[in-house]
Amino acid sequence: MPRPSTGARERIVAATVSLLRRGGLSAAGLNEVVASARAPKGSLYHYFPQGKAQMTADALEHYRGLVDAQLRAALGGRGALAHRVRRLFRSVDARMAVVGYLESCAVGAVVLDLGVDDGALRARCDDVLSHWSRTAAGLMPELPAARRGEAGRLLVTLLEGAQLRARAQGDGRPLSEAARAFAAVAAALSAPSRTSSP
Amino acid sequence: MPRPSTGARERIVAATVSLLRRGGLSAAGLNEVVASARAPKGSLYHYFPQGKAQMTADALEHYRGLVDAQLRAALGGRGALAHRVRRLFRSVDARMAVVGYLESCAVGAVVLDLGVDDGALRARCDDVLSHWSRTAAGLMPELPAARRGEAGRLLVTLLEGAQLRARAQGDGRPLSEAARAFAAVAAALSAPSRTSSP
C-alpha cells in the first residue's frame, strides 16, 4: 500500500462528517467516504483499523469540536443574550444555506438511525449533545446559575428541532423563530414567577 | 397471485410507519416492510403499484393522522395551556418509552435522510410538519390570534428536537423540559413586552 498522503486522514474525517450531516449512518458507508474524500481505500484501513465504527466515532468527535467552536464564537461574543443567540442561529443557517439546506446536524442524523445494537454509538451521541449543552450553559452567565443547565439543554433541543424543520422547508425561518423563542424562555428563566401559563 | 388478505394493506402501512420511525428511509426498504408486516411480497405491488415512493407517502399520510389525533386529544382537552402541553409531551414520551426510545417521529427521521433528488418527498414532509403546526395553533385559543401560528410552529420544532434528544438519552426528560419551555414561551407570547432578553 502506498503511504497515504498528508491530509488524507483529515479529508476522510471531513467527508464522513459531511455524509453523516446529509443522511446519517446509512449515507456514510466506506465506499461513499472513499469516493467523497478522493482517498485510496487503503487509507481507510490505515487510519481506521477498527473500521466504520471508529471512523464514525472520530468524525463525530471532530464535529463536536466544530460546533463547540461555533457556540463559543457566537454565544461567547459581545452583546445581550438575545443578540448572541440570534448570531448563533444565523451562523447555523448560513452553514445550511451554503449546501441548499441538504445537510443538518451530524449527531442528529445519526441519532435518528440508531438501532437496538448501537448502544455505544448512542451513548457517544448523547455525550456530544450533553457536551454542547454544557458549553452553551457556560456562555450564558447572565442567567441565574441554577437555571443555566436547563437553558443550555433547551438551546441544543431547539437547534436540533429547528435544523430539522429548516431542512424540510428548504429555508432558515425555523432557525430565526427558534432564536426568538429561546430569548423568551431565557427571559422567563431569569424571572421564574413569569413562567406560569397564560 | 393470491388475493391479499383483509388488513394486509393496514399491516403494511403500520410496519412502514414503524420502520420509518426507527431509521428513516434507509430502514424502510421493501424487504424489511414485507418481513415486518408478515405480508406476501405480492401484496406490496398490489397495494402500492408505484413502489416504495407511494408506500412511503401513504405511511407518512397515515402517520400525519395519528399525530394529528394525538395533538387534538392532548391540546384540545380541558385545563390551562401549560397543563395541556405537558399532557401532549407526556403522551409522546409514553409512545417512545414502550419501544425503549428506539423510535421517534417518522417525518423527522425521513427529513434527515433527504437527498438532492427527493424534492417531492421533502415537500410532503414539510406539508405534514406545517399541518401539525396549524393543528396545534388552532388548539391554543388563549394565545393572541396573531401569535398562534408562530406558537404552533415552535411546538412542532420542540417536539422534533426533544424526541431526538430523548432518543439519544434513552429517557423522556428532554420532553418534559421542552414542555416547560413551551409554557414559558406561551406566557411571553401573551405578554409581548416581556420577550426582551435579560
Side-chain angles (χ1 to χ4, degrees), chain A residues 20-65:
Chain A
L20 290 174
R21 285 171 59 96
R22 205 159 269 257
L25 285 178
S26 57
L30 298 181
N31 290 331
E32 286 84 359
V33 169
V34 164
S36 172
R38 296 166 190 276
K41 195 152 187 177
S43 60
L44 283 194
Y45 304 110
H46 177 80
Y47 291 116
F48 308 99
Q50 290 155 61
K52 181 170 172 176
Q54 186 186 13
M55 193 178 68
T56 305
D58 283 17
L60 290 177
E61 175 60 20
H62 180 68
Y63 186 68
R64 183 192 66 69

Side-chain angles (χ1 to χ4, degrees), chain A residues 122 153 165 167-168 177, chain B residues 114 122 153 165 168 177:
Chain A
R122 189 194 62 67
R153 291 192 294 276
R165 295 208 66 179
R167 192 160 164 182
E177 288 198 350
Chain B
L114 291 171
R122 189 194 63 68
R153 290 191 296 275
R165 295 208 66 179
E177 288 197 350

Side-chain angles (χ1 to χ4, degrees), chain A residues 26-119:
Chain A
S26 57
L30 298 181
N31 290 331
E32 286 84 359
V33 169
V34 164
S36 172
R38 296 166 190 276
K41 195 152 187 177
S43 60
L44 283 194
Y45 304 110
H46 177 80
Y47 291 116
F48 308 99
Q50 290 155 61
K52 181 170 172 176
Q54 186 186 13
M55 193 178 68
T56 305
D58 283 17
L60 290 177
E61 175 60 20
H62 180 68
Y63 186 68
R64 183 192 66 69
L66 291 179
V67 174
D68 217 55
Q70 192 174 17
L71 288 169
R72 290 179 194 285
L75 293 180
R78 294 173 58 154
L81 181 54
H83 176 76
R84 280 143 48 212
V85 167
R86 220 163 31 236
R87 186 157 59 202
L88 171 64
F89 280 81
R90 273 195 200 133
S91 76
V92 172
D93 186 10
R95 179 74 186 76
M96 292 185 77
V98 165
V99 289
Y101 296 93
L102 286 167
E103 296 184 5
S104 45
C105 174
V107 177
V110 169
V111 166
L112 298 193
D113 278 347
L114 291 172
V116 68
D117 299 326
D118 297 320

Side-chain angles (χ1 to χ4, degrees), chain B residues 119-144:
Chain B
L121 186 55
R122 189 194 63 68
R124 185 173 293 268
C125 289
D126 185 35
D127 276 353
V128 175
L129 293 168
S130 299
H131 175 94
W132 291 336
S133 301
R134 286 192 301 274
T135 296
L139 295 165
M140 300 188 277
E142 54 268 88
L143 295 183

Side-chain angles (χ1 to χ4, degrees), chain B:
Chain B
M1 189 182 85
R3 191 149 183 277
S5 62
T6 311
R9 186 184 179 282
E10 288 70 20
R11 288 209 311 283
I12 293 168
V13 168
T16 307
V17 165
S18 181
L19 289 165
L20 289 174
R21 286 170 58 95
R22 206 160 270 256
L25 284 179
S26 57
L30 297 181
N31 289 330
E32 286 83 359
V33 169
V34 164
S36 171
R38 296 167 190 279
K41 195 152 188 176
S43 59
L44 283 194
Y45 303 110
H46 177 81
Y47 291 116
F48 308 99
Q50 291 155 58
K52 181 170 172 175
Q54 186 186 12
M55 193 177 68
T56 305
D58 283 18
L60 290 178
E61 175 59 20
H62 180 68
Y63 186 68
R64 184 192 64 70
L66 291 178
V67 174
D68 217 55
Q70 193 174 18
L71 288 169
R72 290 180 194 285
L75 293 181
R78 296 173 54 155
L81 181 55
H83 176 76
R84 280 142 49 211
V85 168
R86 223 165 26 239
R87 187 158 59 203
L88 170 64
F89 280 80
R90 273 197 199 131
S91 76
V92 173
D93 186 10
R95 179 73 186 78
M96 292 185 76
V98 166
V99 289
Y101 296 94
L102 286 167
E103 296 184 6
S104 45
C105 174
V107 176
V110 170
V111 166
L112 298 194
D113 279 345
L114 291 171
V116 68
D117 298 325
D118 296 320
L121 186 55
R122 189 194 63 68
R124 185 173 293 268
C125 289
D126 185 35
D127 276 353
V128 175
L129 293 168
S130 299
H131 175 94
W132 291 336
S133 301
R134 286 192 301 274
T135 296
L139 295 165
M140 300 188 277
E142 54 268 88
L143 295 183
R147 319 301 296 271
R148 274 177 220 154
E150 183 169 356
R153 290 191 296 275
L154 175 67
L155 188 74
V156 174
T157 297
L158 280 169
L159 276 170
E160 294 297 331
Q163 284 180 83
L164 191 155
R165 295 208 66 179
R167 191 159 165 184
Q169 278 185 218
D171 69 56
R173 276 171 298 164
L175 290 157
S176 52
E177 288 197 350
R180 270 206 299 282
F182 184 83
V185 176
L189 286 177
S190 300
S193 64
R194 302 282 308 177
T195 62
S196 63
S197 73

